[in-house]
Amino acid sequence: MKTGKLCAALLFGLALAGPAAAKDFKFAYQGEISTLDPHSLNEVFTLGMLGNVYEGLTLYSDSMELEPGLAVSWDLTSPTTWNVKLREGVKFHEGGDFDADDVIFSWQRGLTEGSDQKGRAGLIEEIVKKSPYEIEIKTFQPYPILMQEMTSFYIMDKEWSEENGAIEASSIKESANPGYAGQHANGTGPFRITDRQPGVSTTFERFDGYRNSKLATNVTRAEFVPIQEPATRVSALISGEMDMIFPVPVQDWNRLEGADGVSPLSGPEIRTMYFGMDQDRDELLFSSVKGKNPFKDQRVREAFAHAINVEAIAEKVMRGAATPAGIIIAPQVNGFDASLNTPFAYDPERSKELLAEAGYPDGFSITLDCPNDRYVNDEKICVAAAGMLSKVGIDVDVVAESKTRYFGRVFAQGGYETSFYFLGWTPASVDAHNSFLNILACRDEASGAGAYNLGNYCNERVSEITSMIASEIDPEKRQALISEALELSRDDIGYIPLFQQPLSWGVKDNITLAQRSDDVLDLRNVVIGE
């Protein structure tokens, strides 16, 4: 099996040797690009695809190093003020010139009602235009990793947006009516979208006016096709129809190893998978328990944690390729604490005792919401957990649906319509604060904190620490705070961490690319050999 590191090395070598002759590249993913609006959905796959079309002030390299994007330099002039110099001479795909007004517009757009990027935009208190290519960004508090967050906050053309009635972000909840920006794209990235048939295909073509003519890639046209059925996706690669697919079900790795001309490509991913529980409503939306919320009782949450055999899911459903987790951040993420990373013990008898103590000796029924086209073996994981919970008296109805419908319902725009859910979180900054701010902090609509804390797990001390680690620069003090909050959330059973899933891609042997640890396919790094 190849590894991402190996492919990145091959890519570097090819880049030095110069790109081969241009060829088309065709690839498939298990779900659709949910929207073309870069502020509509904060989802790694959709933002990753749009990152080939749009750009942020900063970018990640093939090895996840921070690089200049639409900003050429940035300096802290005070603990809360960044002086940012913007790249000159950049064109949007439809001919508009990029400048400071586009950055300010995009920031303001990221704060509008339909935006799923309020968390990132909400970090910024003000952007002051000093000249067409120089801005001053002021944050509410010291935030040393702001530029890491800006890798996933894309800049739109102010004039284009105004001309097309797209001054506000379109809500992912309104997927049937996504608005102009949800159906058309106009970025500054190396590829532009020239054709899109939702559910069928999306075509990317190289943008001749891109600022950097020395990219490693020799791809001039890329066609993306969503293929939900895993076996069909794998067959498409083996037959030669596709050049690359992701994810590959881990149970199909041997099938690819035995096929001619293709290989599985695996590596560690920084996304942590977990189950979350509604701890906010006084009565769950989808449960047989009426008049109260059983998840507000810590004993019930603990009973669920001890009923789910994380090691068995990792070994059997994920074929030993997943790394069991006890906390909500991965080992590669800054702030990880190995001493806390032991999964909850599988102990169904203890689960029954806890349920009885909480007043549910006969259990109860509940719905588990789950995507079926987003993560490796996502629906199978939910079904396996449902079977384990049934052994302690919890009757679980698994509702598995496409990620577009799922996210539109369970995220903020859908009113957090879930009682029990399966999700994964990738901290874009590769720092614990991103996970804290988005999924561990108490929900606060004004600041955007806890925007993806779907069940509103809330411990005021964890929220306090979230603010403290945003500005704490002493490494030892910061780590102590992070560990304290991770331990609190674990003791609270705020979530049930499961594992880090493996990166699992499949490629033709003549393809070299970088398998980034955030599971993003960056077309800049794809090289097609003979």
Side-chain angles (χ1 to χ4, degrees), residues 320-348:
T323 304
I327 53 177
I328 211 71
I329 60 174
Q332 304 92 332
V333 176
N334 185 41
F336 173 77
D337 187 335
S339 69
L340 300 171
N341 199 38
T342 302
F344 290 106
Y346 176 56
D347 189 346

Side-chain angles (χ1 to χ4, degrees), residues 74-128:
W74 49 91
D75 298 293
L76 266 175
T77 56
S78 82
T80 58
T81 305
W82 296 76
N83 192 70
V84 180
K85 293 185 178 178
L86 304 175
R87 194 176 296 277
E88 298 185 33
V90 174
K91 291 281 189 182
F92 285 95
H93 298 164
E94 295 199 6
D97 293 315
F98 161 76
D99 62 21
D101 290 333
D102 300 307
V103 179
I104 295 171
F105 166 76
S106 298
W107 163 60
Q108 293 171 336
R109 189 176 190 273
L111 294 169
T112 58
E113 184 176 355
S115 171
D116 205 31
Q117 289 277 17
K118 292 189 185 74
R120 291 193 173 93
L123 296 169
I124 297 171
E125 181 178 16
E126 183 182 17
I127 300 181
V128 177

